[in-house]
């Protein structure tokens, strides 16, 4: 009898544990708030105008040959509304890799290691080689931090419910002002209505880049963030401190991690590297 009972315990024990595990199950997704296209476009605009300027320090891990030899870049970012941006990248030992300056549709890219300087329309930037492509991708990635994914005046959008997230498809006029309107990017929102993914779409309909946003924190608050602070997205300006991007035109990818960010401080023309 004892042997029989022992056999039953050994046989049924794992089944009881397994049943106990299945009771717990995965954590349920929080329900989405009911919103409209107008609600989301207004929210993007609010997050955009909330930041008049920003500066910070970041590290970028790079793969896919975007930067020959280097796989890690340290950098600084300066931004001032409406669209003045300066990125500088350095080797881990402090050597300058690139300087990228943007204002309106104009850009200047300086590559000290190659002794070259490029400038012109941002639409032509992707044709200037790997480092130029890296600068363009970095600008797109950081644009999500700055709120640059807000809709422009001439852009329209369509709202789609996709699984447990909202997707906002954004349309603009093709280069040269030709109709019909074309899809230029997609934005995915989670239950907090934070943009957690973005796709940049080229004029040919192909994906230029896919960007994922993570590690949302209130700006200018160091240290760990409490669950309550993360949940209080309506009253706090949460920004992604980790951004991952995959190049849709090649094998390139980068991951940007911000170490320090300061908003709404004085940013001068000298900070922005402007010589216009």
């Amino acid at each position: 009898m004892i042997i029989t009972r022992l056999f039953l315990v050994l046989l049924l024990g794992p089944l009881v544990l397994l049943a106990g595990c299945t009771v717990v199950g995965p954590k349920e997704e929080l329900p989405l708030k009911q919103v409209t296209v107008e609600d989301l476009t207004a929210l993007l605009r609010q997050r955009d105008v909330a930041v008049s300027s920003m500066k910070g320090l970041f590290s970028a891990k790079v793969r896919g040959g975007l930067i020959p030899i280097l796989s890690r870049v340290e950098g600084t970012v300066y931004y001032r509304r409406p669209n003045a941006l300066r990125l500088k990248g350095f080797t881990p030992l402090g050597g300058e890799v690139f300087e990228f300056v943007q204002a309106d549709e104009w850009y200047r890219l300086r590559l000290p290691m190659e002794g070259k300087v490029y400038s012109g329309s941002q639409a032509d930037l992707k044709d200037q080689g790997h480092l130029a492509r890296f600068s363009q991708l970095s600008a797109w990635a950081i644009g999500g931090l700055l709120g640059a994914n807000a809709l422009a005046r001439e852009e329209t959008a369509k709202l789609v419910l996709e699984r447990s997230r909202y997707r906002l498809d954004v349309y603009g006029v093709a280069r040269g002002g030709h109709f019909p309107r074309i899809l230029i990017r997609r934005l995915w929102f989670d239950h907090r209505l934070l943009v957690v993914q973005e796709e940049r779409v080229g004029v040919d309909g192909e994906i230029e880049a896919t960007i994922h946003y993570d590690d949302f924190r209130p700006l200018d608050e160091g240290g760990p963030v409490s669950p309550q602070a993360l949940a209080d997205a309506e009253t706090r300006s949460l920004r992604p401190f980790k951004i991952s991007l995959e190049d849709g035109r090649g094998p390139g990818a980068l991951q940007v991690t911000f170490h320090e960010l300061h908003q709404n401080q004085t940013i001068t023309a000298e900070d922005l590297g402007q010589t216009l």
Side-chain angles (χ1 to χ4, degrees):
M1 179 66 70
I2 295 177
I3 295 177
T4 302
R5 289 177 180 177
L6 179 60
F7 175 77
L8 289 174
V9 170
L10 293 176
L11 177 63
L12 297 178
L15 296 178
V16 173
L17 292 176
L18 181 60
C21 292
T22 57
V23 171
V24 176
K27 187 176 180 180
E28 293 184 1
E29 290 284 344
L30 294 178
L32 287 172
K33 300 177 182 179
Q34 296 298 314
V35 294
T36 64
V37 169
E38 292 73 21
D39 293 332
L40 291 181
T41 54
L43 182 60
L44 290 173
R45 180 61 179 167
Q46 290 169 8
R47 290 175 182 161
D48 179 24
V49 300
V51 177
S52 60
S53 67
M54 189 179 294
K55 63 180 179 180
L57 304 175
F58 66 88
S59 296
K61 295 180 181 179
V62 187
R63 63 178 174 81
L66 288 173
I67 299 182
I69 303 175
L70 293 177
S71 60
R72 183 180 178 90
V73 176
E74 307 296 326
T76 61
V77 54
Y78 289 91
Y79 166 78
R80 187 176 67 192
R81 283 185 55 82
N83 54 15
L85 175 68
R86 184 190 193 188
L87 300 173
K88 294 189 72 175
F90 305 88
T91 68
L93 296 179
E96 190 175 6
V97 178
F98 71 92
E99 179 191 43
F100 177 75
V101 178
Q102 167 187 303
D104 297 320
E105 293 302 315
W106 173 91
Y107 82 92
R108 185 183 74 245
L109 174 64
R110 186 170 59 85
L111 305 175
M113 292 183 173
E114 298 183 15
K116 295 180 180 179
V117 177
Y118 302 96
S119 63
S121 169
Q122 290 188 55
D124 302 325
L125 181 58
K126 63 178 179 293
D127 300 323
Q128 300 293 350
H130 287 303
L131 281 173
R133 183 63 172 167
F134 169 74
S135 300
Q136 175 66 88
L137 296 174
S138 299
W140 281 344
I142 291 177
L145 166 74
L146 303 174
N149 45 27
L151 274 66
R153 181 175 303 176
E154 69 278 4
E155 295 174 350
T156 59
K158 180 177 71 174
L159 183 61
V160 178
L161 179 59
E162 186 179 278
R163 299 185 183 90
S164 61
R165 299 187 297 182
Y166 285 119
R167 191 187 80 220
L168 199 65
D169 295 346
V170 182
Y171 297 84
V173 179
R175 191 177 180 185
H178 301 299
F179 286 89
R181 289 178 171 271
I182 61 173
L183 179 66
I184 56 177
R185 64 185 184 276
R186 297 186 182 95
L187 303 171
W188 282 264
F189 296 78
D190 68 1
H191 67 276
R192 298 169 294 177
L193 301 184
L194 296 171
V195 177
V196 293
Q197 182 178 334
E198 179 177 3
E199 282 182 354
R200 292 273 180 162
V201 183
V203 294
D204 57 0
E206 296 295 324
I207 297 176
E208 288 276 359
T210 300
I211 311 167
H212 296 273
Y213 304 101
D214 198 3
D215 190 16
F216 287 86
R217 309 180 196 174
L219 287 180
D220 295 334
E221 294 189 16
V225 181
S226 68
Q228 178 59 37
L230 290 176
D232 197 11
E234 290 185 349
T235 58
R236 291 175 179 267
S237 179
L238 299 181
R239 303 285 167 157
F241 274 59
K242 180 180 177 181
I243 301 174
S244 303
L245 180 148
E246 295 181 4
D247 188 354
R249 300 289 186 179
L254 63 99
Q255 177 180 296
V256 182
T257 302
F258 294 93
H259 308 296
E260 183 178 322
L261 285 172
H262 303 279
Q263 64 173 332
N264 300 336
Q265 298 185 0
T266 301
I267 302 293
T268 66
E270 182 179 359
D271 292 331
L272 293 167
Q274 294 180 346
T275 56
L276 300 179

